[in-house]
Amino acid sequence: MAAAEGEQGKTVVVVGVDDSEHSNYALEWTMQHLASGMAGGGGGAELVIVHAKPSPSSVVGFGAGPGSGEVVRYVEADLRKTAEDVVEKARRLCIANAMHALIEVIEGEPRYVLCNAVEKHSAGLLVVGSHGYGAIKRAFLGSVSDYCAHHAHCSVMIVKQPKAKRSRAETA
């Protein structure tokens, strides 16, 4: 069995998702173009959908002042709710496209979570959405897709929304 193939010789495709319109578009695009087109009807691809849930401490910071425990509990509940919403949306997309997928929520920094998922599942392809950041914003915020393109041990596809869809998503 090749390193980029899962059970029964299927190519493993890992798709990174979050609560953005960009990642939803990447997942829809993958289902429509890749998974269904590989060996016809999804028979040649095994789909793994991964959501990286940030740790509460990465969101709140490390300043442990009075009442910080309450803030961390609130943030944890919000992150858990966001993860549940992301998983539910992915599940609905799978049902709508008659596709089976393994859906995972893993706590951690998205760039590392996705590269680790590629290794764990011996993926042949990693698909991520593009937020369309310019060079300056990307330099300050970092780019998950850029990191994955350089560090994932498989091919990486960065899916961009068409301009018409991007402008609607950005104004929403």
Side-chain angles (χ1 to χ4, degrees):
M1 174 165 56
E5 293 180 352
E7 294 178 27
Q8 303 165 356
K10 293 181 178 185
T11 299
V12 177
V13 178
V14 172
V15 182
V17 295
D18 59 20
D19 60 344
S20 73
E21 186 61 36
H22 303 279
S23 78
N24 286 329
Y25 182 79
L27 180 56
E28 288 178 28
W29 191 96
T30 302
M31 289 182 179
Q32 293 169 3
H33 292 87
L34 280 181
S36 64
M38 296 177 84
E46 188 176 316
L47 192 58
V48 179
I49 301 169
V50 178
H51 172 65
K53 181 173 88 61
S55 67
S57 61
S58 71
V59 175
V60 174
F62 292 101
S68 63
E70 183 72 23
V71 171
V72 169
R73 281 191 294 281
Y74 176 78
V75 169
E76 174 61 35
D78 188 55
L79 292 171
R80 189 173 27 257
K81 173 74 171 108
T82 298
E84 290 168 2
D85 292 346
V86 168
V87 166
E88 181 58 26
K89 191 172 235 179
R91 191 185 66 74
R92 284 194 313 265
L93 273 172
C94 288
I95 291 169
N97 288 280
M99 300 228 29
H100 173 75
L102 172 63
I103 303 174
E104 297 181 334
V105 176
I106 302 168
E107 187 170 301
E109 173 69 33
R111 62 190 77 208
Y112 305 127
V113 166
L114 293 175
C115 287
N116 289 339
V118 162
E119 294 297 316
K120 174 183 171 185
H121 296 286
S122 300
L125 179 65
L126 170 62
V127 179
V128 292
S130 171
H131 283 272
Y133 294 148
I136 294 172
K137 200 168 191 180
R138 212 173 33 248
F140 283 106
L141 298 176
S143 169
V144 172
S145 58
D146 186 58
Y147 181 90
C148 291
H150 289 92
H151 295 90
H153 293 196
C154 69
S155 296
V156 177
M157 178 171 289
I158 302 168
V159 177
K160 294 182 177 185
Q161 289 182 307
K163 276 192 182 249
K165 284 193 176 210
R166 256 194 314 226
S167 60
R168 272 186 269 147
E170 290 165 2
T171 58

